[in-house]
Amino acid sequence: MKNKLKQGIVVVLTLIMVCSLTGCNNKEVQAYVDEMQDLIRQIKQGDGNLDSAVDVYIDAFAVDPTTADITPLMETIDHLEQQHQQLLTVEMPKSKKLENIRPMLEEATQKAIEGLTIYRTEFQGFNTDTIASEEAFDPFLERVSEGDALYNQKKTMLLDISSELRKVVK
């Protein structure tokens, strides 16, 4: 009888320990999901800032190409690159629920960086010669469209990741 009581106590204590470890893991997962959702919200806001920075630069360029300041646009691109890379630096807790998130994050970040690199390259090379002829403007427009396609794929992927993260904590 004493042995059964001892075994029962050991089983109960083991269950309590396992449950408490699971609870800690859930807190870690929740903290991770919260941090990632916050980063994704910041990136969405940055996407809007990028659109505005492009519009401001193009409008200024149309008025006077010699005084159009590309600096705010390049700073916005730099900041967005940093934010996307930050998605990969957040330490992911070990959890089966999260195992499919990492590859999605890596692919979304890769597409974002590729798109932003195209924007940077094309807008740094943008000048009066670019808009003076179709031979110069068409390749510019084509490359920017490639950047848009990559960046829009990233946006869709971040929406999917955000949705997956919400499922994890339900």
Side-chain angles (χ1 to χ4, degrees), residues 128-142:
T128 52
D129 293 338
T130 307
I131 57 174
S133 72
E134 284 184 34
E135 287 124 20
F137 188 71
D138 287 347
F140 166 81
L141 192 56
E142 186 176 310

Side-chain angles (χ1 to χ4, degrees), residues 60-169:
F61 193 89
V63 171
D64 184 359
T66 61
T67 61
D69 185 10
I70 197 169
T71 305
L73 175 56
M74 293 300 119
E75 288 173 349
T76 302
I77 290 171
D78 290 342
H79 185 69
L80 277 167
E81 281 182 341
Q82 291 169 359
Q83 286 181 311
H84 284 89
Q85 290 170 343
Q86 190 176 0
L87 289 171
L88 299 177
T89 64
V90 176
E91 189 173 331
M92 183 182 291
K94 292 190 187 298
S95 171
K96 287 262 189 215
K97 297 176 183 179
L98 295 171
E99 62 189 13
N100 65 333
I101 299 292
R102 186 66 180 195
M104 293 169 70
L105 285 170
E106 289 171 353
E107 187 177 357
T109 299
Q110 177 187 357
K111 289 191 183 301
I113 300 300
E114 288 176 21
L116 291 168
T117 299
I118 290 171
Y119 293 156
R120 174 182 285 108
T121 302
E122 293 306 313
F123 279 104
Q124 282 177 332
F126 190 77
N127 57 41
T128 52
D129 293 338
T130 307
I131 57 174
S133 72
E134 284 184 34
E135 287 124 20
F137 188 71
D138 287 347
F140 166 81
L141 192 56
E142 186 176 310
R143 288 288 293 154
V144 170
S145 294
E146 288 174 32
D148 286 344
L150 288 164
Y151 208 73
N152 286 328
Q153 288 174 12
K154 177 276 315 185
K155 287 179 183 180
T156 300
M157 294 176 80
L158 282 185
L159 287 173
D160 293 342
I161 291 167
S162 187
S163 176
E164 288 295 316
L165 289 169
R166 279 192 299 276
K167 290 177 189 176
V168 166
V169 293

Side-chain angles (χ1 to χ4, degrees), residues 21 24 40 80 111:
L21 290 175
C24 290
I40 290 169
L80 277 167
K111 289 191 183 301

